[in-house]
Amino acid sequence: MAKIFCIANQKGGVGKTTTTVNLAAGLAKVGQRVLMVDLDPQGNATMGSGIDKRQLELSVYDVLLESATIKEASVQSSKLLDAQCGYSILGANRELAGAEVEMVSLERREKRLKSALATVSDDYDFVLIDCPPSLSLLTLNGLCCAHGVIVPMQCEYFALEGLADLVNTIKQVHANLNRELKIIGLLRVMFDPRITLQQQVSQELDARYRAKGQLFDTVIPRNVRLAEAPSYGLPGVVFDPASKGAQAFVAFAREMVERVQKM
């Protein structure tokens, strides 16, 4: 059965989408079968995986409203297949913003994604869900079906503040809607060892979360090639496999596989 992970953080601009697409490509590169679900109406993870969101015939919107199955709505990018990093993509576009309003009055509104994923759980090893930065009904759908949450965070002071809010949200969802949900780990991203504050925050995270097993060993460095990749519609792992950022994400993919084997 597939292991389902949300990539979530209530703070915007922390690299959730970059983490999602590069982890998906990294997992595919090390031989895992991956489905990437874009739950953000901006559709950045869709575009960053080589799929034009404006051309989507079916999207996650149709899946949530139960007018299509995941098998019908998921697509693959020829660019990624050529690079041998191919994964399935359940894309999103602006239609998804309307789904929240439409879902408010529906039954099982927070469990719709869970029901849809149950039908394909044997087809994949990993399902990665890119969540929007707000705690919305879309994020709740992601959290309700996930086995765990991967939290990308920058080593800055405000990131620590936001982390407390996210931990409380996860506790509430765990208590009321999904008993399996837990934090799998914090991933330090956009890390620059030359900045003293970042080193201090990293040490603080290490002291607080290492003993609980909630801090990943892999650290993703600040890397220009990772930032350039989305403009070419590719994950950094495919765009420039030799870059430090790409190699760090492949190392992170291997670390994830090891963690899942121990779960």
Side-chain angles (χ1 to χ4, degrees):
M1 282 181 67
K3 285 288 179 194
I4 304 169
F5 299 109
C6 278
I7 290 81
N9 193 326
Q10 283 158 285
K11 194 170 181 296
V14 293
K16 287 187 294 295
T17 300
T18 301
T19 300
T20 307
V21 297
N22 282 287
L23 176 56
L27 286 167
K29 195 168 192 169
V30 298
Q32 301 296 305
R33 301 170 301 161
V34 184
L35 170 66
M36 193 278 299
V37 180
D38 190 353
L39 266 189
D40 192 334
Q42 291 179 51
N44 291 339
T46 306
M47 298 289 275
S49 300
I51 300 294
D52 187 345
K53 64 185 179 185
R54 296 175 292 265
Q55 307 291 327
L56 283 176
E57 287 180 27
L58 293 169
S59 69
V60 69
Y61 169 83
D62 301 286
V63 171
L64 290 172
L65 293 179
E66 296 179 350
S67 58
T69 64
I70 289 180
K71 276 185 180 167
E72 291 165 347
S74 59
V75 291
Q76 290 212 323
S77 162
S78 55
K79 290 180 189 174
L80 301 188
L81 291 170
D82 292 344
Q84 294 179 324
C85 291
Y87 52 88
S88 298
I89 299 145
L90 181 56
N93 51 29
R94 283 187 190 160
E95 279 188 341
L96 189 56
E100 279 204 83
V101 181
E102 292 174 55
M103 283 163 62
V104 167
S105 59
L106 299 177
E107 292 174 28
R108 304 178 292 96
R109 59 188 178 196
E110 66 285 321
K111 298 269 177 87
R112 294 199 149 223
L113 186 60
K114 184 175 186 176
S115 305
L117 285 171
T119 63
V120 293
S121 74
D122 293 335
D123 301 345
Y124 299 103
D125 302 307
F126 285 86
V127 177
L128 302 177
I129 303 171
D130 184 33
C131 293
S134 58
L135 182 62
S136 60
L137 198 46
L138 294 172
T139 305
L140 204 53
N141 260 276
L143 294 175
C144 280
C145 62
H147 296 110
V149 182
I150 297 166
V151 185
M153 61 182 297
Q154 290 170 270
C155 291
E156 293 172 357
Y157 177 71
F158 285 129
L160 283 176
E161 292 281 297
L163 184 59
D165 296 337
L166 183 64
V167 169
N168 285 335
T169 299
I170 290 167
K171 280 180 182 168
Q172 286 178 337
V173 175
H174 172 84
N176 300 308
L177 294 164
N178 179 1
R179 300 299 296 177
E180 288 187 47
L181 189 68
K182 60 185 177 188
I183 290 183
I184 297 296
L186 308 176
L187 175 68
R188 290 162 286 182
V189 298
M190 303 186 217
F191 186 73
D192 187 342
R194 297 169 301 180
I195 299 172
T196 309
L197 175 66
Q198 294 209 358
Q199 287 184 349
Q200 289 170 343
V201 173
S202 180
Q203 286 161 4
E204 173 89 8
L205 290 172
D206 210 297
R208 237 189 256 188
Y209 294 98
R210 172 79 62 192
K212 298 180 193 172
Q214 290 182 337
L215 187 71
F216 289 111
D217 295 331
T218 310
V219 178
I220 309 297
R222 188 173 284 282
N223 184 249
V224 165
R225 301 302 270 169
L226 286 179
E228 286 174 351
S231 62
Y232 293 87
L234 291 169
V237 168
V238 176
F239 176 63
D240 187 355
S243 68
K244 280 185 179 175
Q247 289 175 346
F249 269 113
V250 174
F252 178 45
R254 290 200 176 97
E255 187 178 351
M256 276 301 297
V257 173
E258 280 175 32
R259 272 213 188 196
V260 163
Q261 285 166 350
K262 291 176 191 168
M263 277 170 74

